[in-house]
Amino acid sequence: MKYAIITGASSGFGAAIAKELQELGYGLVLLARRIDRLEELQKKLSQTPVYIAQLDVCQEEQVKNVISNLPREIAENCFILVNNAGLAVGRGPLDTGLSEDWNRMLDTNVKGLLYMSHAVIPLLKKHPYSHLINISSIAGKEVYAGGNVYCASKHAVDALSKALRIDLLPHQIKVSNIAPGAAETEFSLVRFKGDAQTAASVYDGFAALQAIDIAQTVAFIVSRPAHVSIADVTIMPTAQANGSLFHKK
Ligand code: NDP
Ligand code: 8X3
């Protein structure tokens, strides 16, 4: 059986991607900090093998340990890595921002992706046409008001997707970058530090993307023939024109 490793699988895009990839027949390795959420998902997705592990992608040693302790069957048959774990913390001008928020975003969105990629690429190299997928953002394509450090972190993801495509070319590993616009997940609740009203207001007046939309995009990308690599997908709600412009009722 082929396996897919998904970071940030405890909610939002990651959990939805897990379901879609299972439907395509993949065994799953689901990683996140909230192990209780992963246990629930493991129970729901019992049709194929689901391996779960608690992981903070910011902790390089944890990343190394989790990946090096994968059961041999999984380590030998790892075909997909989805670098999805990520977050925004705060939104506003840089001069009123908090360095602890910047560090969380850069550590998770950039360094976490580096640690994961470094640990998993040796497994992907065992299989030509295996696949590394980075979840970037519209914030990785353009900068919007108050998005400074989050946008910088996602621009870094965009750049790393391009760089990895070069690095992994000799190994025929596909690298895909997905750049979603506004999607209704726990993202805004995290960004606004548990302020549910402000978080919900982000999606007022228009039909936001849902996690399933991104999961179906991943499913499409990984089911192309061997000679086809989808390099980059920007996917937004119909009511969104760019990083800042929305058509709200
Ligand atoms: P959610 O908040 O619903 O999910 C984020 C996931 O990331 C959770 O499973 C969380 O798990 C995990 N995560 C966060 N920090 C860490 C960490 N240090 N170590 C391991 N896992 C971590 O948001 P989304 O599903 O929307 O976000 C998924 C990705 O999509 C992120 O990279 C986000 O930046 C990106 N994105 C989101 C958009 C949106 O509008 N929603 C649009 C564009 C991109 P846990 O807390 O259990 O560790
Ligand atoms: C999350 C979407 O528009 O808040 O990446 O950056 S946005």
Side-chain angles (χ1 to χ4, degrees):
M1 167 168 276
K2 294 180 177 180
Y3 282 83
I5 301 178
I6 304 167
T7 65
S10 60
S11 93
F13 297 169
I17 292 166
K19 286 180 200 150
E20 286 297 307
L21 292 186
Q22 183 174 65
E23 280 179 23
L24 290 179
Y26 287 90
L28 301 170
V29 176
L30 306 182
L31 307 172
R33 292 166 303 178
R34 288 172 293 179
I35 191 73
D36 52 325
R37 294 276 197 103
L38 295 181
E39 284 164 355
E40 277 172 38
L41 196 55
Q42 188 183 38
K43 277 184 209 145
K44 279 189 202 149
L45 303 178
S46 52
Q47 303 92 304
T48 55
V50 179
Y51 177 91
I52 60 170
Q54 186 167 38
L55 175 67
D56 180 345
V57 294
C58 305
Q59 305 299 326
E60 187 176 12
E61 284 310 308
Q62 270 186 36
V63 171
K64 284 183 184 166
N65 283 339
V66 164
I67 300 305
S68 62
N69 285 318
L70 288 174
R72 178 192 284 257
E73 154 75 8
I74 298 179
E76 292 298 321
N77 293 291
C78 178
F79 281 75
I80 298 175
L81 167 63
V82 185
N83 278 316
N84 165 72
L87 76 184
V89 196
R91 181 170 179 163
L94 190 83
D95 51 298
T96 59
L98 299 172
S99 60
E100 67 198 49
D101 293 348
W102 309 337
N103 288 337
R104 279 185 69 196
M105 289 187 272
L106 295 169
D107 286 351
T108 312
N109 301 354
V110 184
K111 289 162 78 179
L113 181 145
L114 293 175
Y115 300 148
M116 279 301 302
S117 303
H118 186 261
V120 175
I121 285 170
L123 305 185
L124 297 178
K125 278 184 181 172
K126 295 173 197 264
H127 309 287
Y129 315 120
S130 59
H131 214 134
L132 190 155
I133 300 175
N134 289 331
I135 306 297
S136 177
S137 169
I138 187 68
K141 301 289 182 189
E142 36 183 296
V143 176
Y144 56 77
N148 40 60
V149 178
Y150 179 67
C151 294
S153 75
K154 289 299 187 178
H155 273 69
V157 173
D158 195 87
L160 286 167
S161 296
K162 291 176 186 147
L164 282 163
R165 206 169 294 123
I166 297 168
D167 294 344
L168 299 178
L169 182 66
H171 306 284
Q172 291 292 274
I173 297 172
K174 304 183 190 191
V175 177
S176 301
N177 187 78
I178 303 182
E184 208 169 354
T185 61
E186 293 175 20
F187 175 83
S188 290
L189 196 61
V190 172
R191 174 172 235 170
F192 297 111
K193 303 177 180 178
D195 178 347
Q197 208 176 346
T198 305
S201 71
V202 171
Y203 311 108
D204 276 350
F206 73 103
L209 293 173
Q210 301 297 314
I212 181 78
D213 300 316
I214 306 310
Q216 286 173 347
T217 304
V218 170
F220 176 80
I221 286 173
V222 302
S223 48
R224 293 312 86 208
H227 70 288
V228 178
S229 172
I230 308 284
D232 207 320
V233 177
T234 299
I235 171 170
M236 292 191 289
T238 308
Q240 182 174 8
N242 57 35
S244 339
L245 189 62
F246 290 83
H247 179 71
K248 293 198 176 190
K249 284 180 195 137

